[in-house]
Amino acid sequence: MKVLEGIKILDFGRFIAGPFCAALLADYGAEVIRVDRIGGSEDRFIVPVTKQGEGALFLQVNRNKRSITLDLDSPEGRQIVRKLVAKTDVVIANMPPRTLKNLGLDYESLCAIKPDIILVASNAFGNNKAVRDRLGFDGVGQALSGAACIAGTPEQPQKAMVPVVDFATAFSCALGAMLALYERQRSGMGQEVSASLLCIGMNMASGALIEEALLGLDRQAMLNRASSYAPSDIFKARDGWFITQVIGRPMFKRWTQLVGRPELLDDPRFADDRLRGEHGEFLSNAMTAWCKDKTLDEALAELEKARIPASRVNSPRQALQDETIRAANIIHWMDYPGAPKKAPLVITPVSLSRTPPEIRTRPPLTGEHTDEVLAEIGYDANAIAALRLQRVV
């Protein structure tokens, strides 16, 4: 039996934070219905990779779901939502509170339909009145938190080009949903689970924020070098790039022996991690000199022998071909209608030994399951045909 078998989820999520939260719960057995706009919601078509236009991230964050199309602005559409909510345990909707209220998806409205409902509602800036209705994406969380400023260079801040804050928000919301379901077993009551891109981004940047508050160092960006230990950087071998990070005196000792600079171990400039970080440019230059005439494989083999963490810097193409990634068995190749070949969905990031997660079904086509979902809440074929004629579904 799956961990969340019997739990029903209604997913109004868009983009990543909401949909991936729902996908994680679906991987553990929850039954998830995704509510799409008629014709398909906007997040379905970002970075299209299929003939119908489904996007790359859409495929990753919408597996194990069914899709129903619905006009949420119509009275008939609202009535369908009420019937669905009456049979639902968790509603997921990453929207500003004002939008939730307008759609009748705020916690108070949902409780009037089903008192023990759990609402998982993430947004950009949190629920305080001054900021709650402002819009924001992943990059806003990275930029406001200080993370983008300490990446790149002092002349050019740089955000991560993968949506780290969005995915971290999805993980946090999935945890919140599980906590609320667990607590409901005792109290019989639902509650609202809240998260924001800003708070998640601030958590991820918290080490830099605490250091600045206590020491006032006003750290500046240094490309890929770390500020508080070294050598930690991206280096170029003869035929490619690799990253390595040296932290702590035992590892630094092994590194000095590896690069043929044992005298650096007792140099007072490098007495601890903080000092090594302050002199990181010198140590990066020493590392650069060591690896410049080596092939990538040679450098990585020597670093592994010295027990120093390192890895090649892969392009997306190289990542899909990487032997370590293949050996880890973390990609689930799945057929999808209209895709030129199988799509590589990355498996659930957390597993359980006895009740593991599973990617069971491909992401749904737009409205693929509308008829069967409506039939489950009491609509017959004639009623469904009438709704379709009215463009309610």
Side-chain angles (χ1 to χ4, degrees):
M1 184 172 177
K2 296 292 184 182
V3 176
L4 294 176
E5 192 169 322
I7 296 297
K8 297 181 184 297
I9 296 174
L10 203 51
D11 176 17
F12 294 89
R14 295 294 178 263
F15 302 103
I16 298 170
F20 193 51
C21 169
L24 292 170
L25 302 175
D27 291 352
Y28 280 101
E31 178 188 329
V32 177
I33 297 172
R34 172 182 162 96
V35 181
D36 266 303
R37 294 181 191 272
I38 295 173
S41 298
E42 64 275 25
D43 62 326
R44 182 180 282 269
F45 306 112
I46 299 170
V47 190
V49 292
T50 72
K51 288 180 180 177
Q52 308 84 234
E54 279 88 2
L57 270 177
F58 173 84
L59 299 183
Q60 171 69 18
V61 305
N62 285 286
R63 73 280 187 111
N64 290 340
K65 300 179 186 180
R66 295 189 291 168
S67 167
I68 177 174
T69 53
L70 206 54
D71 177 9
L72 294 177
D73 293 323
S74 68
E76 296 86 356
R78 298 290 180 95
Q79 179 63 22
I80 292 170
V81 168
R82 286 192 287 271
K83 290 185 176 184
L84 289 169
V85 168
K87 296 187 175 185
T88 293
D89 296 287
V90 180
V91 171
I92 296 175
N94 54 319
M95 306 171 187
R98 182 169 57 194
T99 304
L100 291 178
K101 182 77 172 174
N102 290 341
L103 294 174
L105 299 177
D106 58 295
Y107 183 61
E108 184 179 349
S109 298
L110 295 173
C111 278
I113 304 168
K114 192 168 189 287
D116 67 347
I117 198 78
I118 292 166
L119 171 63
V120 180
S122 63
N123 57 45
F125 297 100
N127 292 330
N128 287 339
K129 189 174 181 179
V131 297
R132 65 189 180 192
D133 289 311
R134 292 172 57 187
L135 299 177
F137 282 138
D138 174 274
V140 172
Q142 293 189 44
L144 272 180
S145 69
C149 186
I150 56 175
T153 68
E155 294 75 32
Q156 179 63 65
Q158 182 174 320
K159 75 176 184 69
M161 294 308 293
V162 293
V164 290
V165 175
D166 270 338
F167 274 96
T169 302
F171 298 144
S172 301
C173 287
L175 171 62
M178 292 300 300
L179 293 172
L181 285 166
Y182 182 77
E183 195 279 336
R184 192 176 72 170
Q185 292 179 334
R186 292 199 303 257
S187 68
M189 300 171 64
Q191 56 186 308
E192 182 173 347
V193 176
S194 299
S196 73
L197 299 179
L198 177 60
C199 187
I200 299 298
M202 295 284 281
N203 268 275
M204 297 176 78
S206 58
L209 299 174
I210 292 169
E211 181 192 50
E212 176 58 28
L214 299 185
L215 302 181
L217 300 178
D218 193 22
R219 294 281 190 194
Q220 298 297 304
M222 300 183 296
L223 286 175
N224 296 299
R225 288 209 321 270
S227 60
S228 51
Y229 49 87
S232 175
D233 209 338
I234 290 179
F235 301 96
K236 192 172 191 311
R238 278 201 337 239
D239 55 347
W241 297 85
F242 68 93
I243 188 170
T244 191
Q245 296 167 290
V246 176
I247 303 175
R249 184 174 174 83
M251 194 179 295
F252 182 65
K253 179 179 180 180
R254 298 197 298 274
W255 177 82
T256 61
Q257 294 167 341
L258 171 71
V259 301
R261 301 292 300 273
E263 75 281 2
L264 298 181
L265 182 63
D266 296 318
D267 189 314
R269 292 176 297 172
F270 314 121
D272 56 31
D273 278 335
R274 180 182 62 83
L275 287 169
R276 289 191 284 274
E278 290 177 4
H279 295 90
E281 185 174 2
F282 179 94
L283 295 174
S284 282
N285 288 339
M287 186 68 168
T288 297
W290 173 80
C291 67
K292 68 178 181 179
D293 294 324
K294 291 179 168 55
T295 67
L296 197 52
D297 286 342
E298 289 169 347
L300 290 172
E302 292 189 40
L303 285 159
E304 184 172 350
K305 186 177 179 181
R307 309 256 333 133
I308 295 172
S311 116
R312 65 183 64 237
V313 176
N314 282 331
S315 68
R317 178 178 294 180
Q318 290 170 325
L320 291 171
Q321 299 167 347
D322 189 280
E323 292 180 5
T324 299
I325 293 173
R326 287 182 173 178
N329 197 27
I330 55 177
I331 292 180
H332 179 94
W333 294 89
M334 177 170 273
D335 287 315
Y336 191 85
K341 54 185 73 173
K342 287 181 181 288
L345 305 191
V346 183
I347 66 171
T348 322
V350 178
S351 190
L352 300 178
S353 61
R354 190 167 45 79
T355 53
E358 181 186 5
I359 298 179
R360 302 178 302 280
T361 61
R362 61 166 174 78
L365 297 169
T366 302
E368 182 175 355
H369 306 95
T370 298
D371 288 19
E372 70 180 58
V373 170
L374 291 177
E376 289 167 4
I377 56 174
Y379 290 85
D380 62 23
N382 290 333
I384 295 171
L387 289 169
R388 187 163 277 117
L389 194 61
Q390 298 169 56
R391 299 285 293 168
V392 174
V393 299

